[in-house]
Amino acid sequence: MALPLQAFADTFTLKGRVTDSDNNAIELATVSCTSQGVAKIADFKGEYKITLQSADSVEIRFSMVGYQTRKRMLYKPKGTITMNISLPGIELGEVVVTEKQRQRDMEQKIDVKGMKTMPSTTGNGVEELIQQQAGVSTHSELSSQYNVRGGSFDENSVYINNVEVYRPLLIRSGEQEGLSIINPDMVENISFSAGGFAAQYADKMSSALDITYKKPTHFEASASASLLGASGYIGTGNKKFSMTHGLRYKTNRYLLSSLETKGEYNPNQLDYQTYISYNPNKNWTLDFIGNISENHYNFKPGDRETSFGTMEEVRSFKVYFDGQEKDIFRTFFGSLGITRHIGDATNVQFLASGFHSKEQETYDIQGQYWLDEAEVLNNLGVGTYMEHARNYLTYKVGSFQILADHKMRSHHIKGGITYKIESVEENAREYEMRDSSGYSMPRTADALQLIYSLHSQNKIDSKKIEFFLQDTYKFKGTGNETFYTLNYGLRFSHWDYNKESLLSPRVSLGIVPAFNSDFTFRFATGLYYQTPFYKELRDTTTINGVTTVTLNQNIKSQRSIHAIAAMDYKFSVQDRPYKLSAEIYYKNLSDLIPYNVNNVKVVYYGQNLCNGYAAGVDLKIYGEFVPGNDSWLSLSYMKAQQHLNGSWIPMPTDQGFSANLYFTDYFPGSDRWKMTLKLSYAGGLPFGPPHTGLEKQVFRAPAYRRADIGMSYRIVNNENADGQKKKGKTLKNVWAELDCFNIFGINNVNSYYWVTDVTGQQFAVPNYLTGRQINARLLFEF
């Protein structure tokens, strides 16, 4: 049946763009006419087009979770009408809340503003934020390292302004760790993926952390000091030139004083960084990053007393020490980038970077111990042990990259080629001797045997070529309001050391369904490799009690196939925006190189010996109570197993359940008092006697449980003042902070020291982490 011409004459078309207060597009905003029961969703550029029936008056409604709704009345509309609309954020007292950019791939954006007032034990604010994410865990507040969905510390790639960065290799404990290479004062954007990441990121099996340093357009500065160190930052810039400098000093002597091993702790870490960017004209950009870091760890142990066991069988372990440890970790890093801008849509960048680390770990420590039954004062063992190490390592990495990206209306194409030169030289010798009641362990009739002795003198020079190409394609479903974001790409690499070539296809799809734009569904799969660096190459052979390290040139890259399905749902409660995220994943692992973990030291078998899997589910709900600061609760369950020597055994990272709470908010009616709370729970990890196989790790450590709270008071607040009041003001904010670490005083176990008596019976003595500590801090922002 044909429609009358009047039906067409009475319609009109409304089109335009929906933006926020800063003129940024609001993606997938809803444009509706409730009286006619018609609604349309704006596209990824905030643009919309809707056809409606004309009338004397037509009310149009523009809405989006996290923004104020706007209504516009049209009188006798006809033809085509263009209407651009701006939606301001919701105002909750002094707080303005807006919706975050929708996540349509596997890389989530993390806010950085809360780092400045977050209670921190390491001084590495970025890594501590990552440790609180769903699927991520840590078992030590002294370390900035983290495990992601069953992966080891070494399976996480880190980038700063498109350059992959590294960490020291000889670090074996959180006490030795200094400041990470990421300076939180200089960070502008954080992008993190716990799996299913795009082809642009290097050959790591677990996660990708992408950091972008800021380019200030005006003068800004900050300075802070606490019982754990100090930092200073200064930045300035204009339309053509920007420059930032960051200086950090850390000493965790005060924090280490709460450990059970008493002595003279003297750790000192100093780090300087600069980032300079120059735009001589619209066609060129020059970028330079420089970093110098020096970490000294000096320790003279005194004594230690540890009580452990059960309520029925309490044991006491006492040790008196002689000797000392002296470690030095010296790092240099620099990168130079030249970018050619071809119009507004195309960029070609040349990047050259260099990384140099010189590490020294030396110690001679003797301990005389007594192991007693505490209840009845019955002595179970008396002995002596001595640990010796002279470990020296130098490694250098140089890289040359050509990166290109091109934007079209629906496509964003990226590609790059990288040439790397890697050099590592190691000279290490370490041993451990145990004497129990006058008998050397292990006991032999005619020789003095050491329980552990290792020698390594190796050097490797290698070259690697990497290439990637990827496209992000945004499109709309035919005949409906379903929006799709498809990322697909390919990565290739060749390493001349083992003559291995790798091809890694990766794809992800984000869907915003027509039935409800508050939902986003995400799917990803891909082939990911873990290219060996140096530690994975170290194979060992033991002859006459001496273990010698050789490099396995036949080693292969470990492989992981990711399969991920995820869902995000946005909703509002009392005008506050919230988001619920759920991800389920499965990782098929093959050509694995098994490893043991002691504290944060990872020791590999040096051979591809097993296969395995990691599977789990991550849940996260978060909202915003303080501008620029997310609060969230994450829950995760994960199972990680490997098939070794005919048996399925848990991987060293198989923790089961974990939970993290990060909450920050102002006190009611005040923008001066702010509270930040961090709660962490991570299931216990498998462990067993040292210098034995993974098959012997049949025990479970207690779960890691920790609560840190920080109270901040804003002494000076010129941040929210109007232009007239800000004039002549040098200070923007002054914060006084008081943090309480481990507020409940929980004794978390970091590792175990194993004591063997002359009968061969072994006792696992727990090494506890830090106790309850108070930290005071002052922060000045200019």
Side-chain angles (χ1 to χ4, degrees):
M1 178 179 175
L3 292 174
L5 293 176
Q6 183 66 27
F8 295 97
D10 290 341
T11 64
F12 72 98
T13 299
L14 182 68
K15 66 177 184 177
R17 188 166 181 257
V18 184
T19 60
D20 62 14
S21 300
D22 297 321
N23 203 35
N24 298 313
I26 299 179
E27 301 178 352
L28 309 176
T30 300
V31 182
S32 62
C33 177
T34 54
S35 63
Q36 299 184 23
V38 179
K40 291 289 183 180
I41 304 298
D43 63 17
F44 296 116
K45 296 183 178 180
E47 297 174 354
Y48 70 92
K49 186 176 182 180
I50 185 171
T51 300
L52 298 167
Q53 296 289 324
S54 183
D56 289 340
S57 62
V58 179
E59 185 182 75
I60 309 298
R61 186 175 182 267
F62 300 85
S63 61
M64 183 66 181
V65 173
Y67 293 87
Q68 296 182 35
T69 297
R70 285 287 184 257
K71 296 179 182 179
R72 293 292 183 266
M73 189 70 72
L74 303 177
Y75 297 98
K76 295 182 179 180
K78 59 182 178 179
T80 300
I81 301 172
T82 299
M83 179 179 290
N84 297 322
I85 195 78
S86 176
L87 304 183
I90 295 174
E91 296 184 8
L92 301 174
E94 298 290 337
V95 180
V96 178
V97 183
T98 60
E99 194 226 14
K100 296 294 182 293
Q101 183 179 5
R102 185 187 298 259
Q103 182 182 347
R104 300 185 302 272
D105 52 24
M106 292 300 161
E107 286 87 46
Q108 62 169 312
K109 309 300 181 183
I110 300 175
D111 285 318
V112 300
K113 190 175 181 181
M115 287 192 299
K116 292 186 176 181
T117 54
M118 178 182 69
S120 172
T121 55
T122 66
N124 301 317
V126 173
E127 288 85 348
E128 292 195 26
L129 272 180
I130 298 301
Q131 290 172 352
Q132 295 289 115
Q133 302 303 310
V136 185
S137 64
T138 181
H139 287 78
S140 173
E141 66 275 4
L142 294 174
S143 173
S144 61
Q145 303 306 311
Y146 50 88
N147 303 111
V148 180
R149 293 178 175 174
S152 73
F153 303 138
D154 300 319
E155 296 177 19
N156 308 309
S157 62
V158 180
Y159 288 81
I160 298 179
N161 287 23
N162 294 321
V163 178
E164 188 176 9
V165 296
Y166 304 85
R167 69 183 184 94
L169 297 178
L170 286 183
I171 293 289
R172 59 181 171 83
S173 69
E175 293 92 318
Q176 293 175 310
E177 277 197 29
L179 293 160
S180 80
I181 195 170
I182 304 172
N183 186 328
D185 292 329
M186 300 172 66
V187 172
E188 182 174 45
N189 294 312
I190 301 175
S191 176
F192 176 72
S193 174
F197 39 91
Q200 70 185 85
Y201 297 113
D203 295 315
K204 299 287 187 179
M205 290 200 302
S206 290
S207 75
L209 175 60
D210 196 348
I211 303 296
T212 303
Y213 275 177
K214 65 177 70 172
K215 295 181 180 181
T217 57
H218 56 274
F219 175 80
E220 59 184 33
S222 65
S224 68
S226 75
L227 298 176
L228 301 178
S231 68
Y233 162 79
I234 186 170
T236 187
N238 51 42
K239 291 182 178 180
K240 286 193 172 184
F241 179 80
S242 67
M243 177 173 57
T244 59
H245 301 275
L247 183 65
R248 295 178 293 165
Y249 171 74
K250 173 186 174 182
T251 174
N252 53 358
R253 181 190 313 175
Y254 169 69
L255 191 64
L256 298 180
S257 66
S258 66
L259 296 174
E260 288 192 332
T261 299
K262 306 303 179 184
E264 297 180 18
Y265 291 93
N266 189 23
N268 294 281
Q269 299 96 37
L270 189 65
D271 175 275
Y272 168 74
Q273 289 191 43
T274 183
Y275 174 39
I276 301 172
S277 182
Y278 176 53
N279 297 83
N281 53 56
K282 66 178 183 179
N283 296 324
W284 295 95
T285 300
L286 280 73
D287 295 292
F288 171 76
I289 296 178
N291 169 236
I292 301 173
S293 178
E294 181 104 354
N295 174 13
H296 291 254
Y297 177 75
N298 299 320
F299 174 46
K300 292 183 179 181
D303 61 80
R304 159 186 177 170
E305 182 172 356
T306 303
S307 296
F308 66 101
T310 65
M311 294 292 292
E312 292 77 19
E313 296 182 344
V314 180
R315 293 181 172 86
S316 174
F317 181 66
K318 297 180 182 179
V319 188
Y320 296 94
F321 296 100
D322 293 308
Q324 64 180 337
E325 176 177 355
K326 289 187 175 182
D327 305 328
I328 300 175
F329 302 90
R330 185 176 294 119
T331 301
F332 301 92
F333 167 70
S335 72
L336 177 65
I338 303 174
T339 305
R340 174 71 165 94
H341 307 286
I342 306 172
D344 296 330
T346 305
N347 299 301
V348 178
Q349 183 181 39
F350 172 77
L351 264 175
S353 65
F355 189 89
H356 180 279
S357 181
K358 189 171 184 179
E359 305 172 21
Q360 169 186 309
E361 180 187 47
T362 62
Y363 56 82
D364 288 283
I365 295 176
Q366 176 179 280
Q368 299 176 355
Y369 68 84
W370 285 260
L371 180 65
D372 302 312
E373 286 185 295
E375 299 291 331
V376 295
L377 298 180
N378 180 33
N379 182 257
L380 298 174
V382 177
T384 301
Y385 68 87
M386 180 171 183
E387 296 175 338
H388 164 92
R390 294 292 184 272
N391 298 331
Y392 305 92
L393 186 142
T394 301
Y395 74 99
K396 295 171 279 188
V397 180
S399 72
F400 303 91
Q401 301 181 68
I402 297 177
L403 303 173
D405 71 89
H406 177 67
K407 292 181 179 180
M408 296 180 285
R409 181 173 178 85
S410 301
H411 294 267
H412 187 186
I413 301 171
K414 291 183 178 181
I417 186 168
T418 303
Y419 180 71
K420 285 184 180 179
I421 303 172
E422 301 172 344
S423 177
V424 183
E425 184 174 0
E426 180 189 31
N427 189 354
R429 186 180 295 273
E430 56 187 58
Y431 64 79
E432 180 180 352
M433 185 273 290
R434 293 186 188 175
D435 183 290
S436 182
S437 299
Y439 293 92
S440 175
M441 306 297 296
R443 181 185 176 188
T444 58
D446 55 357
L448 177 65
Q449 295 287 332
L450 301 174
I451 193 170
Y452 167 69
S453 177
L454 180 139
H455 172 67
S456 176
Q457 189 168 5
N458 293 288
K459 183 177 181 181
I460 175 176
D461 294 294
S462 64
K463 301 175 182 63
K464 185 184 296 183
I465 296 176
E466 300 174 346
F467 168 81
F468 80 90
L469 182 65
Q470 70 178 49
D471 176 33
T472 301
Y473 176 38
K474 298 179 180 180
F475 59 99
K476 180 180 174 183
T478 304
N480 58 41
E481 295 295 321
T482 299
F483 292 88
Y484 300 89
T485 302
L486 176 66
N487 179 278
Y488 55 97
L490 191 67
R491 187 174 188 88
F492 169 82
S493 65
H494 176 78
W495 193 27
D496 72 344
Y497 184 75
N498 63 356
K499 314 301 181 186
E500 185 180 44
S501 297
L502 305 173
L503 198 61
S504 173
R506 306 173 187 180
V507 62
S508 68
L509 177 65
I511 304 173
V512 180
F515 65 82
N516 190 335
S517 63
D518 291 332
F519 282 95
T520 304
F521 299 99
R522 295 178 284 113
F523 306 91
T525 187
L527 182 59
Y528 298 83
Y529 289 95
Q530 177 78 18
T531 305
F533 184 57
Y534 181 76
K535 292 191 294 184
E536 296 97 320
L537 301 174
R538 301 171 82 245
D539 195 5
T540 58
T541 56
T542 302
I543 301 176
N544 297 326
V546 178
T547 300
T548 303
V549 176
T550 57
L551 302 184
N552 181 7
Q553 196 163 353
N554 297 318
I555 200 85
K556 294 192 297 183
S557 296
Q558 303 176 87
R559 189 179 71 176
S560 175
I561 300 175
H562 293 194
I564 303 170
M567 180 273 294
D568 300 329
Y569 175 62
K570 300 182 306 175
F571 60 98
S572 294
V573 177
Q574 296 181 346
D575 288 329
R576 295 182 185 269
Y578 294 86
K579 187 172 81 169
L580 172 66
S581 295
E583 293 193 18
I584 184 170
Y585 62 90
Y586 178 83
K587 299 198 292 188
N588 181 278
L589 310 173
S590 58
D591 292 328
L592 292 180
I593 306 170
Y595 60 90
N596 286 294
V597 179
N598 183 18
N599 203 314
V600 298
K601 184 178 181 180
V602 180
V603 180
Y604 291 88
Y605 278 43
Q607 299 180 46
N608 304 96
L609 296 178
C610 62
N611 300 322
Y613 70 88
V617 60
D618 296 330
L619 301 174
K620 181 178 178 182
I621 183 170
Y622 59 89
E624 185 178 315
F625 300 94
V626 177
N629 293 266
D630 278 335
S631 297
W632 63 80
L633 170 67
S634 65
L635 305 172
S636 301
Y637 179 79
M638 183 265 298
K639 188 176 181 66
Q641 300 280 304
Q642 57 188 346
H643 193 255
L644 179 63
N645 296 329
S647 301
W648 283 99
I649 59 175
M651 297 182 71
T653 54
D654 180 45
Q655 67 179 16
F657 179 75
S658 65
N660 291 293
L661 174 67
Y662 181 88
F663 179 79
T664 180
D665 197 5
Y666 287 116
F667 278 49
S670 171
D671 65 346
R672 290 185 178 270
W673 283 100
K674 188 169 78 168
M675 182 272 292
T676 302
L677 175 66
K678 293 167 56 180
L679 302 178
S680 297
Y681 176 93
L685 300 176
F687 75 97
H691 315 304
T692 59
L694 290 169
E695 301 91 336
K696 301 292 185 181
Q697 295 192 351
V698 296
F699 306 102
R700 284 275 176 176
Y704 179 82
R705 299 162 296 160
R706 186 175 176 88
D708 297 336
I709 189 169
M711 306 297 294
S712 305
Y713 178 71
R714 182 149 48 183
I715 302 172
V716 175
N717 179 14
N718 292 318
E719 184 174 11
N720 300 320
D722 57 35
Q724 195 62 31
K725 290 182 179 179
K726 280 185 178 180
K727 205 176 232 184
K729 302 282 188 180
T730 302
L731 283 172
K732 181 170 71 173
N733 286 308
V734 177
W735 290 93
E737 302 175 23
L738 191 65
D739 302 329
C740 182
F741 302 134
N742 195 6
I743 189 171
F744 299 118
I746 298 172
N747 286 328
N748 288 305
V749 178
N750 187 30
S751 58
Y752 289 86
Y753 186 80
W754 289 78
V755 179
T756 308
D757 63 18
V758 71
T759 66
Q761 185 175 3
Q762 291 185 311
F763 300 89
V765 182
N767 297 315
Y768 292 117
L769 286 161
T770 59
R772 185 187 296 112
Q773 292 283 85
I774 300 294
N775 181 42
R777 183 169 178 253
L778 275 175
L779 171 64
F780 298 85
E781 294 180 288
F782 302 91

